[in-house]
Amino acid sequence: MSREPQGETRPIPRWKLAIQQTPTHELGERDWEELLPFFRATYEIDMEGLKASVLNRTHILRVRERGSGRLVGTTAFGVAPVTLPTGASARVFYAGDVLLLPNLRGSGLVQEMAARVVLAELLRHPFTTHYGFGVALTHYMYLGVVRSFADAWPRSDRETPPEIRFVMETVGRMAYAETWRSADEPVAVGRRGRGRDLVISETMMQAPDVRFFVEKNPDYSRGTALPFLVKI
């Protein structure tokens, strides 16, 4: 899901921006020193948590202003091959949060970054089933997922199919190692949302999807996230 670090609100034209893709193992100390304050504008996170979040992906996309080189957006991603219990093959995207300055809202950058990664993968493996794996740190993130994808799990209105649970378990262990517990349990991600994103009003709690998120992830305000999977 897209989140927005605090900053200026004057729109930046798309032609003034460049997207840079880098293998995460090539990030140096100067890169980390630039990324940490950018992440801290949205999350409560330290350097250890930042590296743990980014380095379990294979690549990072950074959006910069042409000329100044200023960092204005970022996301990290990986693609994992998974052999399903049926013997069929699947490919699973697993990405970190998309962080964008507020003045990039409506610029199409989220869609462009997703298309850049997803279309390249679909062209390489056109006849393979593809999924997207992630974790929802707040109810806003979870609502964005279940309201954007018809095939998204877990959800309040039906059980998670065994094949979906298998994929979540496989990629969850890969992405979160020793912090992963199971597809049915929240995972500690080394960061937590800011206070403004954690408040759930009584009115919002009336929505079945919001209640479901809180029931499945009662410690969300302490930095646990609900795993999810979508079919692409």
Side-chain angles (χ1 to χ4, degrees):
M1 276 298 296
S2 170
R3 302 302 301 155
E4 299 168 350
Q6 294 178 351
E8 62 187 77
T9 57
R10 178 175 51 85
I12 304 175
R14 174 64 186 88
W15 63 268
K16 288 188 176 182
L17 302 172
I19 300 176
Q20 169 191 13
Q21 181 170 315
T22 308
T24 53
H25 71 268
E26 293 183 2
L27 294 173
E29 285 309 307
R30 290 183 64 181
D31 296 306
W32 293 114
E33 290 169 3
E34 177 187 48
L35 287 168
L36 185 59
F38 193 74
F39 269 71
R40 279 181 169 167
T42 299
Y43 298 118
E44 293 184 10
I45 189 170
D46 58 18
M47 184 65 80
E48 182 181 0
L50 173 63
K51 289 185 175 182
S53 177
V54 173
L55 289 176
N56 62 7
R57 276 81 178 171
T58 58
H59 292 79
I60 186 169
L61 295 177
R62 285 174 286 180
V63 183
R64 297 189 182 279
E65 273 189 317
R66 297 185 188 273
S68 70
R70 181 174 66 126
L71 183 66
V72 296
T74 185
T75 189
F77 71 91
V79 183
V82 175
T83 301
L84 303 175
T86 60
S89 297
R91 306 276 293 181
V92 185
F93 300 97
Y94 56 106
D97 299 324
V98 180
L99 301 179
L100 295 174
L101 291 183
N103 48 344
L104 297 180
R105 199 178 322 173
S107 66
L109 274 169
V110 173
Q111 295 88 336
E112 182 177 341
M113 288 191 288
R116 177 177 292 220
V117 175
V118 173
L119 289 179
E121 172 66 18
L122 293 177
L123 287 171
R124 284 193 294 265
H125 303 275
F127 304 111
T128 301
T129 301
H130 287 82
Y131 295 100
F133 172 86
V135 294
L137 195 61
T138 69
H139 60 293
Y140 289 115
M141 295 181 186
Y142 178 71
L143 288 176
V145 171
V146 296
R147 292 178 179 178
S148 299
F149 292 88
D151 294 319
W153 300 273
R155 55 192 311 126
S156 61
D157 56 356
R158 60 182 185 267
E159 292 293 323
T160 302
E163 178 179 297
I164 299 303
R165 189 182 303 278
F166 175 85
V167 174
M168 293 178 70
E169 292 286 4
T170 302
V171 182
R173 287 192 296 270
M174 183 183 306
Y176 291 100
E178 68 277 359
T179 61
W180 178 259
R181 294 189 291 178
S182 81
D184 296 313
E185 299 179 81
V187 59
V189 293
R191 65 189 188 278
R192 69 188 188 110
R194 294 289 183 184
R196 63 180 181 274
D197 293 328
L198 300 177
V199 177
I200 302 178
S201 68
E202 291 185 9
T203 301
M204 295 175 72
M205 278 295 288
Q206 301 306 310
D209 289 331
V210 175
R211 288 201 307 273
F212 180 79
F213 173 81
V214 174
E215 289 168 2
K216 297 290 288 186
N217 185 22
D219 293 326
Y220 70 94
S221 63
R222 300 177 185 175
T224 61
L226 183 65
F228 65 81
L229 193 77
V230 301
K231 190 172 185 179
I232 300 173

